[in-house]
Amino acid sequence: MSILKGTLSFLGVFHIVCGELSQYSFPDNFQFGVSSSAYQIEGAWNEGGKGVSIWDHSLHSNPDYVLNKSNGDIACDSYHKWKEDIAMLKNLGVQFYRFSISWTRIIPLGYSGSKVNEEGVKYYNDLIDALLAEGIQPFVTIYHWDLPQTLENKGGWLNESIVEDFVYYAKTLFELYGDRVKRWITINEYLQICEYGYSSATLAPFLNLAGVGVYQCSHHALLAHGRVYRLYQNQFKASQKGEVGSVIQAFWCEPKTSSMDDQLAAEHYMQFNFGIYAHPIVYGNYPPIMMERIEALSDKQGFNKSRLPRFTEQQIEMIKGSFDFLGVNHYTTILCSFNDNLPQPSLDSDCGVEISQNSTWKGDSLWWLRHVPWGFRKLLVWIKKTYDNPKVIILEGGWSTDENDLNDVDRVQYYREYLSEMLKAIYEDGCSVIGYAAWSFLDAFEWNSGYTKKFGLIYVDFGSANRTRIPRKSFNEFRNIIRSNRIPNSSVHLEIYLPVFYIILCYLLKLI
Ligand code: BGC
């Protein structure tokens, strides 16, 4: 049995390295980066004049929200160790580093018009200057889930007044850092903020307003994004010459069977989970299928108007085309099947789709995360077709493990094969993808999973006071990819050695 296992794993490793990988080079000007976010890596939750965010507040008042009662109070301690981080980024060779700014470090009270915290300003000034000194472009996320608790106390993303608070915050950042930051992301992953934060109590602020909170939050977040995009266009673009976009998370949804129903279900899933944001940003309004279905269901359920708010004509004009690039986070593919009997009201029942995973696709650490590289290509082609081939930057993609393993061959395989499919989408399908950032630079606080799920190219020892960092095998692989500007074909070497391996194996098995 163990000989059989050994043989299979040998063949598995051989397949990993020798699988059919694209031989294209990355296009000229293609950029590589790595991503992180403030709450997940900075720590120092109450240092340097920082205010309290919804994550600080929720996890201090109810530690059970997260596995092992962990929180981001210290995380990777990047607030103190940023110089070490930059040295590692330099070693990795990335062209950009995507990080987020902690709203409460800059504006501790959160409110529009309230004071700016100089110590917080200095932290990001130092970080940005040091990155630029190493030739690494700062790619800044304005909001990655750490809302000031003061704003949550008045309803957070459910209260339209948050739009003014967000515009004030973003304007402050453009004024402070826009001379050096040339790429801005307004909001990271609207659906995760709104569905998981306000409709299914999985992420802060852990509210459960199913089928209602998700749409109110999304509506205000889209308005906030649109206003900030226009603000930059009107007041900063001419002098700062930067670009503004936002990031939408996208699973690829594969129909569970070839039935017409499941094919339609897959399209519905894409519209309700990706189109809900991309359609307004590109075309000005929600996807028609969403507006129709939610209005009809709301009526049946006794609401006197659709649970999906409406944009005014003026708002549609403001949001339409509010992107210089479309930021996409892509990790995996799921299966979709038609189901009109899901608990109501909810985003899923509005969509009429049940999702599941295919147990034959490789996966281990998170139920939803499977190794399906071809799904990435299908997603890119779908985006091209649905949104008229926008300029896309992939701002997250990665593989999680439960182990600390430095020899992370599965993550290596993930990047090699996903990047290979992306190259095919670029060269063979004509998709405009201009950059890719790995999630994540470091192992980090993985939200409700705490520190149990590891995505890092760099291992972090959370048991050590120093939060020791050690690069994994995937770090070297990613560096090789960046350096050679293609996916290095280690298969050449293996092919040479294959007969030797085979003879040794047969000898061990006493077959010859
Ligand atoms: C988020 C990250 C998160 C990652 C892995 C993305 O949805 O932007 O903050 O750590 O997924 O779950």
Side-chain angles (χ1 to χ4, degrees), residues 40 144-145 188-189 329 331 368 396 439 446-447 455:
Q40 295 180 272
H144 199 126
W145 307 3
N188 176 67
E189 297 190 350
N329 290 349
Y331 288 84
W368 52 266
E396 285 181 32
W439 185 275
E446 182 47 36
W447 308 112
F455 277 91

Side-chain angles (χ1 to χ4, degrees), residues 426-440:
I426 295 172
Y427 287 104
E428 293 170 26
D429 308 322
C431 299
S432 315
V433 187
I434 61 161
Y436 185 96
W439 185 275
S440 177

Side-chain angles (χ1 to χ4, degrees), residues 1 30 131 141 225 234 259 278 396 487 490 503:
M1 192 61 184
F30 189 89
L131 285 168
T141 312
H225 159 78
N234 298 334
S259 73
E396 285 181 32
I487 302 164
S490 7
I503 291 167

